[in-house]
Amino acid sequence: MSLLAACLDRLARLGRFLWSAWAGLAGLALIGALWQAGHEAYGDFILTAPLDTLAAAARLLHEGRAQELLALTTARALAGFGLCALIGTLAGVAAGYSPATLRLSRPVLTLLLGVPPIAWIVLAMIWFGPSDMTVAVTILISATPVVFVGAVEGVVTRDRGLDDMARVFGAGPLRRFLFVSARQISAQLFPALILALGSAFKVAIMAELLANAGGIGGALARARAMLDIAEALAWVSLAVAALIAVEYVLIRPVRAELERWREAAAPWGVKR
Amino acid sequence: MSLLELNRIGHAFFGRTVLEGITLTVERQEIVALVGPSGSGKSTLAHIAAGLVEPREGRVARRYLRHAMVFQDPRLMPWATAAGNIGFPLRLSRAPRRMRRRMIGDAALRAGLLPEDLGKYPSELSGGMRQRAAIARALVTDPDFIYFDEPFTALDVALKRRMQDLVIEAAASARFAALFITHDLLEAIRISHRILVLDAGGRGIAGERLPPGNPGTRDEAAIFALRQHYLTADPLFAHIHDIDERLRP
């Protein structure tokens, strides 16, 4: 009975989500229109028509090599993202609970954020050569601070009253963390994770391009060398599509599941 | 043997002594109301008794099996439904899953929540309903001692009285003892067997009064007359409405 109700609730949510895709489609159509206008103003060489770009992307996908490259870049980005999510979350939670660690890590963070990602790519290239490691390390260094800060915020802004409540009812430190604090931390952590995932993809492609490590970045470099605008734009579209696919398959469902209560609180008609 | 015994409890916040030499006992199935002016350290005392705050001096002897607490704010987890919140102590005490649903339903009913409210999130419930859920959460494990830390201060007068009746009924049927912190004298008289008055400066218990009869059997006129008598003629309650809001809690 309750299982059925839960399934129906999920289905309703999925339906609402799919229905909201019309708004997304309208936004995409707007971008397409601007793109087309730019194409008509500046010509094929500067900006290929959107339809031609789509055709080029489809051709790349059908030729087979594109899927391989997409998979390679996605795997690299996900590996870097996974690493940075793990390390950032663990370190952030630890620092959130220990003010001394937090005070120590603040300047480190400022320093890390101050170094441009491009510098890390150069260093990683020297250390690891054009390999997966270069990409992973660059992602790790450039995306971890965001996750770290999200986790720290989650710990620091948690409702301590709920901690006391759990303690009165007999929860030890571990179960207080698992049952009460973890949920509050995740609310702050998810936006940070989504941001980190996006930057993982961007940094992966940038690192590939500069380190000549293959993947989409490598293909992009080749398209630039050949001055093939249609192909370059096609690769960009494919990369964006991959990012969106990963975000909506991997992170959004988990977040929606954890934040069901927030949706319940929204008045009717405001539900997204 | 008293269920709860506080012996010469003292505590300080930021170097300022808020409690000193507090000794009190609560007997089996007895509801003790602790009244005192705002800022006299009533809540701190409840938190010390419940083990949330470590006292700077003194001893706490807890001889009950299981306690629960109703806080001033409901303190419900916003991400869990009413049923999830009420069942939280069961989850902590590792009660078998099969029994949980029935126990949650029972406790909710005793606190005046209907089965259809159980699936709602706290943000979908009104203030009174949230406090009902908090009371149900305190009742669900069948504790033999419940701390009430000014639980109805934020509610309006009608709702407050309904909640008081609810507590009186629950105490009569479930036979728990309670330490009921309040600064509302009327509430203290309605709900308790014994009223303790905390010294305005937190230096010991100033005294105690036993309202005649049992909670739930006193009629409203008598309760009101007793309150008037306490406030006008009894020196023990002279400072009960003194407030210094600049003091820290």
Side-chain angles (χ1 to χ4, degrees):
Chain A
M1 181 60 203
S2 66
L3 190 70
L4 183 72
C7 288
L8 278 177
D9 180 47
R10 304 301 190 281
L11 264 179
R13 226 157 4 108
L14 186 66
R16 263 203 305 277
F17 172 73
L18 289 179
W19 184 249
S20 75
W22 288 114
L25 226 56
L28 282 180
L30 194 65
I31 292 177
L34 283 174
W35 187 347
Q36 181 71 32
H39 161 69
E40 279 166 23
Y42 296 105
D44 234 2
F45 184 68
I46 302 292
L47 204 59
T48 317
L51 278 178
D52 291 344
T53 309
L54 280 184
R59 201 178 60 241
L60 287 173
L61 276 179
H62 275 295
E63 278 170 10
R65 205 171 53 92
Q67 293 173 22
E68 222 171 275
L69 293 182
L70 264 178
L72 180 66
T73 301
T74 307
R76 282 171 171 169
L78 281 183
F81 168 71
L83 218 58
C84 94
L86 189 74
I87 294 175
T89 306
L90 287 181
V93 168
Y97 277 103
S98 143
T101 317
L102 185 59
R103 225 164 286 160
L104 265 179
S105 60
R106 280 253 158 82
V108 178
L109 217 63
T110 314
L111 203 79
L112 279 182
L113 282 172
V115 179
I118 197 97
W120 291 114
I121 297 176
V122 172
L123 285 175
M125 268 168 64
I126 297 171
W127 292 336
F128 306 109
S131 68
D132 288 0
M133 201 63 177
T134 309
V135 183
V137 166
T138 316
I139 292 172
L140 185 65
I141 292 174
S142 53
T144 304
V146 180
V147 181
F148 178 86
V149 170
V152 168
E153 279 302 301
V155 176
V156 172
T157 60
R158 77 191 192 279
D159 182 356
R160 281 152 208 267
L162 288 179
D163 269 3
D164 278 353
M165 183 277 294
R167 201 153 59 155
V168 157
F169 288 106
L174 183 66
R175 287 198 291 170
R176 272 210 302 281
F177 175 76
L178 289 178
F179 291 168
V180 177
S181 304
R183 285 299 293 261
Q184 300 181 59
I185 296 169
S186 74
Q188 300 274 345
L189 195 58
F190 268 98
L193 282 181
I194 289 175
L195 205 63
L197 181 67
S199 80
F201 264 86
K202 283 178 258 181
V203 171
I205 292 172
M206 189 166 69
E208 281 174 348
L209 193 150
L210 289 168
N212 199 15
I216 295 179
L220 213 53
R222 210 174 55 91
R224 188 206 53 155
M226 318 263 266
L227 288 181
D228 190 341
I229 307 293
E231 197 177 316
L233 283 174
W235 280 117
V236 172
S237 318
L238 285 178
V240 171
L243 167 64
I244 289 174
V246 168
E247 183 177 326
Y248 277 90
V249 169
L250 197 74
I251 290 194
R252 296 278 173 163
V254 181
R255 186 183 188 192
E257 196 56 36
L258 286 177
E259 306 220 322
R260 223 143 32 97
W261 61 277
R262 235 184 261 280
E263 195 181 357
W268 199 88
V270 183
K271 295 193 195 290
R272 288 172 293 145
Chain B
M1 268 300 229
S2 322
L3 272 192
L4 176 74
E5 203 175 315
L6 302 187
N7 201 352
R8 306 203 58 76
I9 294 292
H11 197 63
F13 276 128
F14 310 107
R16 190 176 68 87
T17 305
V18 285
L19 294 169
E20 208 178 313
I22 311 279
T23 299
L24 70 87
T25 58
V26 180
E27 304 299 325
R28 196 167 294 279
Q29 292 176 26
E30 183 189 36
I31 298 186
V32 173
L34 182 68
V35 299
S38 291
S40 60
K42 303 185 298 288
S43 283
T44 310
L45 192 62
H47 286 214
I48 288 174
L52 282 178
V53 175
E54 205 49 45
R56 205 185 54 172
E57 55 195 29
R59 274 206 342 269
V60 182
R62 305 182 189 95
R63 302 200 185 87
Y64 47 75
L65 297 171
R66 187 179 285 141
H67 69 205
M69 193 160 185
V70 182
F71 295 87
Q72 186 166 359
D73 40 345
R75 301 210 181 171
L76 301 174
M77 300 175 287
W79 58 85
T81 58
N85 271 295
I86 296 171
F88 184 61
L90 295 176
R91 204 168 143 204
L92 289 175
S93 65
R94 300 200 170 85
R97 235 168 241 283
R98 288 173 293 110
M99 287 167 61
R100 276 190 216 167
R101 189 202 287 260
R102 195 179 46 77
M103 292 168 88
I104 291 171
D106 268 9
L109 215 57
R110 276 156 75 197
L113 284 172
L114 298 172
E116 64 257 35
D117 299 324
L118 288 179
K120 290 182 184 164
Y121 290 95
S123 51
E124 296 173 283
L125 298 172
S126 66
M129 298 290 265
R130 282 180 213 168
Q131 201 53 292
R132 278 179 198 274
I135 294 173
R137 179 177 60 192
L139 294 175
V140 76
T141 49
D142 243 334
D144 47 349
F145 200 101
I146 302 185
Y147 295 95
F148 291 90
D149 179 12
E150 304 195 37
F152 310 137
T153 308
L155 302 181
D156 63 62
V157 180
L159 209 52
K160 206 168 176 172
R161 293 197 31 161
R162 210 178 296 167
M163 296 286 168
Q164 290 162 2
D165 291 338
L166 205 151
V167 170
I168 294 169
E169 270 169 43
S173 62
R175 304 179 165 276
F176 55 77
L179 183 63
F180 199 103
I181 311 291
T182 179
H183 60 243
D184 179 353
L185 202 50
L186 212 54
E187 183 167 80
I189 297 171
R190 289 194 80 209
I191 225 164
S192 69
H193 296 97
R194 187 152 60 97
I195 299 173
L196 295 177
V197 183
L198 195 62
D199 176 76
R203 274 148 193 75
I205 300 286
E208 69 170 24
R209 291 289 179 270
L210 292 161
N214 275 320
T217 60
R218 304 174 185 129
D219 75 276
E220 293 301 323
I223 291 172
F224 201 73
L226 188 59
R227 172 182 179 265
Q228 286 312 97
H229 169 72
Y230 279 164
L231 284 180
T232 51
D234 197 329
L236 184 58
F237 296 94
H239 298 290
I240 197 88
H241 287 149
D242 289 0
I243 288 178
D244 187 353
E245 62 270 22
R246 282 164 303 169
L247 286 179
R248 295 191 204 225

